[in-house]
Amino acid sequence: MKKIRNCRISYKTLVLSLGVLLVVGLVYTKYFHYRNSGKRWRPVNLIPVEKCVGSKCILANDTSTGMKYALYFQPRKTKVNEFVYRFLNQPTGACDPASPPVLMIIVPSSPSHTEERNAIRSTWGSVSRGKRWPLQSIKGKAKLVFLLGITENITILQNLQDEVTEYNDIVQSDYLDTYQNLSLKILSGIRWTYLKCPDVKFILKADDDTFVHLPLLIATLEGYYRKVDRNGAIFGNINTDAKVRRRGMWKVSEIDYPFPHFPPYAYGNTYVISANIASRIFSASEYMPYIPIEDAFITGILAKVIGASHIFVSGFTFWLDYKPNYCDFVNDIRISATKVNFKYMYFLWEKLQSEDIDC
């Protein structure tokens, strides 16, 4: 009798076990079908959160292109660039705390471009030295500095030191003045501005082969004084579909930037940064892979990292823009123009001063 009873108990156990296996099998089949349907199903309290983009956290195995793109613009946990370059020369008294300028103009220049710097000082940049704009007034002060690195040419260095003494408008740092350091050059100017001119409202970056209509620019920016929020803004001619080049002078490696297009950025001939984000842009640059394409890096990648907005402003120039006519500035059509060598700069300035211009 004991054997029969034990046998019956074994049958019950077997039936119960089969039932459990059946339930488990059904659950697993449902899960397997759900997982292979393209959805990720797991109990909520067991999700292995490993990375977050803003308020959205993802799973370790999410390798979608969109998520990779979003994660790229998160600052790295440790510094990848240590910008410890010193200021070798810098202007004294550039910014009066009692009467700060509205606009700080930073012009990257090669140490050998003496003629270009002198032309800017004598023409459109002369207002930063107290001169009046021809036949117009400017609402607010502007200050101008030139950004330079160092060169191994002793003669150029000696001439440059004389220029520093005479004009007091050069910010020179101890990085080598090369194209690969162009982004670093602009970042050094941004850093110098927020350290020495913390009350300035806007920063204009302008190449030394550009002509800038300062009265029109400052009047345009005046409309944005109180509209720029804490995230700041980039003003200029905005490039919204820039392909990344993998060869040539403007090449960028896939290691540094793995995507085929840059985020929107302002064409680098001239653009304006709201000064309230200057320190955040510089800080972000130390935690992101360095890219020498200065406009794409600073006004595109770094702007996206800190959440700055882009504002298209009609009248800003771009790489393929036509050479300007003086009537473009007389009639307030253009804020800035490229393809202006130092001789043509003098020509434009002379025309603007004439009272009998036929435009």
Side-chain angles (χ1 to χ4, degrees):
M1 296 297 291
K2 289 183 180 180
K3 290 182 180 181
I4 295 174
R5 186 167 56 194
N6 288 339
C7 185
R8 288 177 179 174
I9 293 173
S10 297
Y11 283 135
K12 288 181 180 179
T13 302
L14 179 61
V15 170
L16 181 61
S17 299
L18 289 173
V20 171
L21 288 172
L22 180 61
V23 172
V24 170
L26 288 172
V27 172
Y28 180 79
T29 301
K30 186 179 178 88
Y31 162 71
F32 185 81
H33 172 74
Y34 200 88
R35 186 187 66 181
N36 286 288
S37 67
K39 301 177 182 178
R40 290 176 177 82
W41 177 90
R42 288 198 184 127
V44 174
N45 61 338
L46 294 180
I47 293 180
V49 175
E50 296 202 353
K51 295 178 181 177
C52 295
V53 177
S55 60
K56 183 177 181 180
C57 295
I58 64 170
L59 303 179
N61 61 348
D62 188 340
T63 58
S64 65
T65 301
M67 191 53 66
K68 285 181 179 179
Y69 186 79
L71 287 172
Y72 177 87
F73 294 97
Q74 295 297 297
R76 308 307 181 257
K77 292 183 179 180
T78 58
K79 287 185 178 181
V80 294
N81 302 304
E82 194 72 30
F83 295 141
V84 293
Y85 299 96
R86 298 174 299 125
F87 294 123
L88 301 177
N89 289 295
Q90 53 182 317
T92 56
C95 293
D96 181 4
S99 181
V102 170
L103 181 68
M104 174 58 69
I105 307 165
I106 58 175
V107 179
S109 185
S110 171
S112 62
H113 285 191
T114 307
E115 295 281 8
E116 286 79 355
R117 291 190 292 276
N118 285 335
I120 291 175
R121 291 183 181 112
S122 300
T123 60
W124 66 268
S126 64
V127 297
S128 69
R129 312 179 74 82
K131 293 188 178 181
R132 294 179 59 84
W133 192 272
L135 308 179
Q136 290 192 45
S137 60
I138 296 180
K139 299 178 180 180
K141 293 195 302 184
K143 287 294 182 179
L144 166 72
V145 296
F146 295 96
L147 309 177
L148 292 95
I150 58 174
T151 175
E152 297 175 348
N153 189 310
I154 302 301
T155 302
I156 291 178
L157 277 179
Q158 290 174 342
N159 293 337
L160 186 59
Q161 195 57 49
D162 293 337
E163 195 177 337
V164 167
T165 303
E166 182 176 359
Y167 296 106
N168 189 39
D169 62 1
I170 290 177
V171 176
Q172 184 182 26
S173 301
D174 59 353
Y175 53 80
L176 194 61
D177 202 302
T178 64
Y179 175 76
Q180 287 299 312
N181 282 336
L182 180 56
S183 292
L184 176 57
K185 179 180 284 190
I186 305 306
L187 288 167
S188 73
I190 291 173
R191 178 171 176 260
W192 181 85
T193 300
Y194 74 74
L195 289 176
K196 301 299 180 180
C197 295
D199 296 320
V200 71
K201 290 184 173 64
F202 298 98
I203 302 171
L204 165 67
K205 180 266 175 173
D207 287 341
D208 65 5
D209 64 345
T210 60
F211 192 98
V212 182
H213 188 343
L214 287 178
L216 181 57
L217 173 60
I218 292 177
T220 301
L221 293 174
E222 187 179 28
Y224 292 97
Y225 283 175
R226 295 177 179 83
K227 296 180 182 179
V228 176
D229 61 22
R230 65 174 300 276
N231 287 328
I234 310 291
F235 304 84
N237 194 323
I238 309 302
N239 187 349
T240 59
D241 187 31
K243 293 182 179 179
V244 179
R245 301 188 183 186
R246 302 302 182 190
R247 296 180 180 179
M249 180 179 179
W250 296 288
K251 69 178 180 181
V252 175
S253 73
E254 291 192 30
I255 295 176
D256 293 330
Y257 190 80
F259 309 105
H261 291 81
F262 287 119
Y265 67 83
Y267 283 103
N269 310 86
T270 54
Y271 57 78
V272 171
I273 297 173
S274 60
N276 66 324
I277 56 172
S279 62
R280 292 173 58 204
I281 284 179
F282 182 83
S283 178
S285 72
E286 295 191 295
Y287 291 87
M288 295 296 292
Y290 179 84
I291 292 175
I293 316 301
E294 156 258 326
D295 48 7
F297 183 50
I298 295 174
T299 72
I301 293 173
L302 298 183
K304 185 174 178 65
V305 168
I306 68 172
S309 60
H310 291 90
I311 298 177
F312 172 81
V313 179
S314 179
F316 272 87
T317 191
F318 64 105
W319 300 114
L320 300 178
D321 209 356
Y322 64 91
K323 188 175 181 177
N325 183 284
Y326 57 86
C327 287
D328 294 337
F329 302 107
V330 172
N331 295 325
D332 293 341
I333 295 173
R334 302 182 74 172
I335 291 175
S336 62
T338 188
K339 300 177 182 175
V340 181
N341 61 36
F342 68 89
K343 292 181 180 180
Y344 196 61
M345 209 171 289
Y346 286 117
F347 169 78
L348 290 173
W349 191 248
E350 183 180 355
K351 284 291 187 181
L352 291 178
Q353 296 182 84
S354 176
E355 295 185 3
D356 58 351
I357 294 179
D358 182 17
C359 288

